[in-house]
Amino acid sequence: FVVLVGTVKSATEFEAKFGVVVRDKDDLRIPLCAETLPTPGEFRDAVASLSPEQREFARGFRSLQLASTLFAVLVVQIKPQLERVLRLPGESLTKEIRLTQDLTELFIKYQIP
């Protein structure tokens, strides 16, 4: 999956600001609480143990929380999109786990749009 956070521009438009690829057994938790946001120091401590990509995503997410705009989270499945780009029949990558993993690696490495 690709998880994007961004702003809602209109009833039909989403402007992505930050994104992260979630694959295999990755665990991504996005708490949506009405609680007070952590202080800059608390936030820095909380993201210190994350990978660089997850840390950048968390910083982007926080910047949107601090902005006075309506923001949204969008989840896009990668497999159906890869099947379309490669002109494969639907669900064909579901059976080919290794091929899907290799294609996902290429997608991440070369940032294929």
Side-chain angles (χ1 to χ4, degrees):
F1 295 97
V2 176
V3 179
L4 302 168
V5 293
T7 56
V8 177
K9 293 182 76 172
S10 70
T12 59
E13 287 186 62
F14 170 79
E15 183 178 353
K17 300 286 186 179
F18 303 96
V20 65
V21 175
V22 180
R23 60 187 171 156
D24 299 329
K25 295 185 180 186
D26 285 350
D27 186 23
L28 178 66
R29 294 175 190 252
I30 303 174
L32 299 175
C33 306
E35 298 175 4
T36 306
L37 295 175
T39 65
E42 291 171 336
F43 178 78
R44 188 175 42 253
D45 293 342
V47 299
S49 64
L50 299 176
S51 71
E53 294 85 12
Q54 290 175 335
R55 192 175 313 121
E56 185 64 29
F57 182 79
R59 286 183 183 136
F61 190 87
R62 179 177 170 81
S63 71
L64 289 173
Q65 284 180 316
L66 294 173
S68 61
T69 60
L70 180 62
F71 78 97
V73 178
L74 176 67
V75 179
V76 180
Q77 290 184 346
I78 294 175
K79 283 184 193 178
Q81 303 310 319
L82 286 173
E83 289 168 348
R84 271 193 208 146
V85 168
L86 299 173
R87 295 191 173 124
L88 297 172
E91 300 291 321
S92 59
L93 289 178
T94 302
K95 298 173 187 167
E96 301 296 333
I97 296 170
R98 185 67 196 151
L99 175 61
T100 302
Q101 290 172 340
D102 291 344
L103 288 171
T104 303
E105 284 296 324
L106 290 170
F107 177 78
I108 293 167
K109 183 175 181 180
Y110 296 104
Q111 298 181 13
I112 299 169

